[in-house]
Amino acid sequence: MTHWICTHCRESNEDGFEQCWKCGTRADGSADPAFRPDNGDPQAWPPRLLHCLRCPGTPMVFAGRKRFHEGSQAMPFLLGGIGELLVNREEFDLHACPSCGKVELFLSSAPR
C-alpha cells in the first residue's frame, strides 16, 4: 500500500486520503480551514501556530484539549460526590513536536 507524508506534521497517510487525518493539511501542502480533529474542542480551534524551540522550523501539532485532575484520589471515594468539590481541575491546550516529542501546554482560557 502506498502512502504520503504530511508536510505539516510528518504523519504517514494512505494514498486514498486527500488530507492528513491528524492535522488536516491537504496532500498538496495547503491547509483546510474547515478541518477539525476528532478530539477538536470547538473552543480550542483554531490552535496556536507554534514552531518547536528544539527543532527550528518544525511546526508543532495541536494534540487537543486535555483535562488534568488535581487532588487526592481517596477524597472522592471517601466523601462521594462531595469529595469532587475539593479537587482542582484545569484544561490545557496541548501542542507536540512530531520530531523530538517536546510538549507545550497552554491554559485553555488564555488569550490566543
Side-chain angles (χ1 to χ4, degrees):
M1 185 178 295
T2 59
H3 68 279
W4 56 276
I5 303 297
C6 176
T7 57
H8 178 74
C9 71
R10 313 238 194 290
E11 185 67 31
S12 177
N13 295 275
E14 294 178 15
D15 268 346
F17 292 107
E18 294 179 8
Q19 69 185 59
C20 178
W21 67 269
K22 189 172 185 180
C23 73
T25 302
R26 295 185 181 109
D28 64 3
S30 62
D32 179 2
F35 176 78
R36 299 286 189 276
D38 289 340
N39 65 350
D41 181 342
Q43 295 174 349
W45 204 262
R48 291 173 174 84
L49 300 175
L50 303 170
H51 288 341
C52 181
L53 297 174
R54 293 183 182 177
C55 308
T58 302
M60 296 187 83
V61 176
F62 177 66
R65 183 166 280 173
K66 307 297 180 191
R67 293 185 73 196
F68 288 85
H69 185 270
E70 179 184 358
S72 170
Q73 295 294 329
M75 193 66 71
F77 176 73
L78 295 175
L79 299 176
I82 296 172
E84 284 295 313
L85 298 174
L86 304 173
V87 296
N88 186 33
R89 289 186 189 81
E90 285 291 338
E91 284 188 341
F92 294 94
D93 291 340
L94 187 130
H95 298 263
C97 176
S99 295
C100 70
K102 177 181 175 19
V103 173
E104 292 195 29
L105 300 173
F106 293 88
L107 285 172
S108 61
S109 60
R112 297 187 172 271

